Amino acid sequence: MSQTAHRFDPSILREYDIRGVVGDTVHAADARAIGRTFGTLVRRQGGKRVALGYDGRLSSPELAAACVEGLTASGLDVVNIGMAATPMLYFAVYHFDTDGGIMITGSHNPPDYNGFKMMMGKKSFFGADIQTLGAMAGKGDWESGQGKVAKENVLADYAARLLKDVKPGKKLKVAWDTGNGAVGVSIRAVVDKLPGEHIVLNEKVDGTFPAHHPDPTVPANLAQLMAEVKKQGCDLGIAFDGDGDRIGAVDGKGRILWGDQLMVLWARDVLKSRPGATIIADVKASQVLFDEIARTGGKPMMFKTGHSLIKSKMAEIGAPLAGEMSGHIFFADTFYGFDDALYCGLRLLNILANAKESLADMRDGLPQLVNTPELRFDCPDKRKFVVAEEVKARLLKKGAKLSDIDGVRVSTKDGWWLLRASNTQPVLVARCEAADEAGLERLKAELKAELSASGVSLPDEASAGHH
Ligand SMILES: [Zn+2]
């Protein structure tokens, strides 16, 4: 008897994706129901065909097979591109002009996690869309049919598209760390065609991530790349998260450049061909970025954190570039506006291959403010948004200068501090930035005082890091 409805563990229906622990909160039956329900939604919008890909996790092939069953049972045809990084799946949606896409990926999470990122048409499928999908599955509100599956190899076309935007220039020596993640599928097809010398670390796709965790926002995960860059005398090193939609970089001296620092370089570059353009960065980004965009003739726009939110905003206003401190970067000047870290790496090489300065020089040339990393600390889901609202209300009463685009970003004579609730975890996120150490201490003290007025203590060693 065919299934008539499906109930998901509610914890897996998240803000930007569906994700959980395989064998615990995520099973093949969930993948089948996601396929069937997503397929139903696509069909009801007049769609006929979606693209599907999966990352290198051990559970991915099984989940992909079940998801394909669900999609075809809804009557949709599927273009299966096999193992891929998330941006290669996004590319396939454009290349084959499908009516949407599903990527099976656990992104940068530990090996036992897996999940689903979706595109409806060419747009992100997130927030209320994901809740709707859950509710429809619960009622068995499904279309039926018998779709067909076509296996397509999109790698050559994908690599050619990325390489199309490479500019000639001086030869660079680059170390790339794919972290045994899904970029391992595509890295050779791209770097073997580049000028210069390219060393690839942890290229073999391995869902157990034997070398290190595939998340370049955590400094420990960049240690191997830093060491290689120094040992080999590379101009720079580039790292990826597990599914290739976030980039990390280190300069020739082995120092990390965060997403907001790299954005300064890309913004200057994009503004040369798009003077006066609006460039979007999230509320966690350094003031240096916003100031530099303005100084070089662009319009800086501060926006909410969240890759789906930023992608949507950018499409809405036609911004040629957007980025998050987390390393999700979106080029829409000559690219599609989705977050492809390998493409971002090539755009960084374009800049360096045509500059007198090294990446280390450029890093040293940025205004040197002192800031904390992203500080993340536990706060129950029920409380996190309330705390941010309470802090905002008290600050407004005091006449503080603040932006409430996403939580509160408070400006003082020392600099700024941010407090926002994570959309994806029972966590509050904070960051402070000042001109000097003494100013930073004053900002941290203000943040601490505001938090404790709402009964939350900022741990002394709030963990820097990932989502
Ligand atoms: Zn990712």
Side-chain angles (χ1 to χ4, degrees):
M1 200 186 93
S2 71
Q3 214 188 352
T4 52
H6 182 86
R7 218 164 273 290
F8 297 106
D9 183 313
S11 70
I12 70 171
L13 302 173
R14 295 153 37 95
E15 183 65 16
Y16 308 122
D17 53 22
I18 298 175
R19 191 199 293 163
V21 176
V22 178
D24 179 8
T25 55
V26 173
H27 304 84
D30 297 304
R32 198 171 293 112
I34 289 165
R36 183 81 183 265
T37 318
F38 184 75
T40 296
L41 285 162
V42 172
R43 275 198 65 191
R44 287 180 186 166
Q45 299 200 5
K48 294 186 172 58
R49 198 169 60 128
V50 294
L52 176 137
Y54 53 89
D55 74 11
R57 284 162 193 269
L58 305 183
S59 59
S60 292
E62 187 197 355
L63 294 178
C67 191
V68 167
E69 279 174 28
L71 288 165
T72 53
S74 78
L76 270 194
D77 292 342
V78 179
V79 179
N80 185 345
I81 66 161
M83 195 193 288
T86 295
M88 191 156 107
L89 183 271
Y90 294 157
F91 171 79
V93 168
Y94 284 87
H95 184 69
F96 298 114
D97 195 21
T98 64
D99 304 301
I102 297 192
M103 179 69 197
I104 287 113
T105 177
S107 189
H108 57 274
N109 288 275
D112 51 337
Y113 280 72
N114 216 331
F116 307 80
K117 290 182 179 171
M118 289 156 280
M119 264 172 98
M120 177 64 75
K122 309 289 187 283
K123 294 195 174 122
S124 298
F125 183 88
F126 70 105
D129 303 329
I130 289 174
Q131 296 306 317
T132 300
L133 183 150
M136 283 172 64
K139 288 186 284 194
D141 179 9
W142 290 325
E143 297 290 332
S144 297
Q146 261 189 318
K148 296 188 291 292
V149 182
K151 290 210 160 119
E152 295 279 358
N153 188 340
V154 76
L155 177 58
D157 290 314
Y158 170 68
R161 175 60 189 86
L162 298 196
L163 289 162
K164 187 163 89 84
D165 286 0
V166 170
K167 291 201 184 112
K170 70 179 179 218
K171 288 190 177 132
L172 298 166
K173 185 169 178 181
V174 188
W176 305 79
D177 185 355
T178 56
N180 304 104
V183 178
V185 171
S186 44
I187 189 85
R188 279 288 162 198
V190 174
V191 301
D192 284 354
K193 299 244 170 70
L194 294 176
E197 200 181 325
H198 299 273
I199 300 149
V200 182
L201 305 176
N202 308 315
E203 179 181 354
K204 190 174 176 292
V205 178
D206 183 339
T208 67
F209 306 122
H212 57 74
H213 203 64
D215 181 356
T217 55
V218 177
N221 297 331
L222 294 169
Q224 187 190 2
L225 181 63
M226 291 171 185
E228 189 73 12
V229 163
K230 283 200 243 175
K231 190 176 108 194
Q232 304 269 3
C234 295
D235 295 291
L236 74 157
I238 293 174
F240 304 99
D241 80 332
D243 68 329
D245 57 7
R246 289 192 295 123
I247 188 170
V250 300
D251 69 15
K253 294 181 178 170
R255 299 174 301 179
I256 299 171
L257 280 92
W258 300 110
D260 51 355
Q261 294 176 302
L262 295 167
M263 272 294 286
V264 172
L265 313 183
W266 287 314
R268 286 177 188 159
D269 186 51
V270 166
L271 286 166
K272 279 183 205 155
S273 58
R274 296 286 292 272
T278 299
I279 292 178
I280 305 174
D282 74 327
V283 288
K284 287 187 272 186
S286 169
Q287 192 58 41
V288 170
L289 173 57
F290 299 104
D291 291 348
E292 281 294 300
I293 293 169
R295 196 183 64 80
T296 45
K299 290 193 199 73
M301 176 187 268
M302 193 183 284
F303 200 63
K304 295 175 216 233
T305 292
H307 62 96
S308 301
L309 300 169
I310 290 202
K311 230 178 298 196
S312 303
K313 187 70 185 173
M314 157 179 219
E316 179 196 321
I317 65 167
L321 174 67
E324 284 194 322
M325 194 188 153
S326 65
H328 283 283
I329 312 290
F330 316 83
F331 282 91
D333 57 344
T334 57
F335 200 58
Y336 304 91
F338 58 69
D339 35 353
D340 184 327
L342 186 47
Y343 181 78
C344 296
L346 300 182
R347 293 291 297 253
L348 185 58
L349 300 195
N350 279 352
I351 295 170
L352 297 172
N354 291 284
K356 285 196 198 75
E357 303 166 281
S358 67
L359 183 59
D361 295 335
M362 292 180 190
R363 186 186 184 282
D364 291 333
L366 295 175
Q368 303 292 316
L369 301 181
V370 290
N371 48 39
T372 66
E374 179 184 349
L375 307 169
R376 303 174 72 82
F377 43 98
D378 297 337
C379 183
D381 278 325
K382 285 200 302 282
R383 278 290 288 158
K384 62 185 185 184
F385 289 108
V386 179
V387 169
E389 280 302 318
E390 287 173 4
V391 169
K392 180 178 138 188
R394 280 195 301 271
L395 288 166
L396 285 174
K397 244 187 202 162
K398 291 181 204 160
K401 208 175 131 202
L402 62 84
S403 154
D404 62 354
I405 291 165
D406 186 353
V408 281
R409 180 162 159 147
V410 188
S411 299
T412 79
K413 60 177 179 7
D414 286 316
W416 60 271
W417 60 268
L418 169 80
L419 179 71
R420 63 177 287 272
S422 166
N423 286 320
T424 55
Q425 290 180 314
V427 155
L428 282 165
V429 179
R431 197 181 186 206
C432 312
E433 181 175 71
D436 53 38
E437 288 292 345
L440 193 65
E441 287 310 313
R442 283 192 290 273
L443 293 175
K444 277 200 236 169
E446 281 173 40
L447 167 63
K448 249 185 183 162
E450 282 302 337
L451 282 171
S452 72
S454 282
V456 180
S457 57
L458 178 68
D460 284 333
E461 296 296 322
S463 67
H466 67 112
H467 7 168

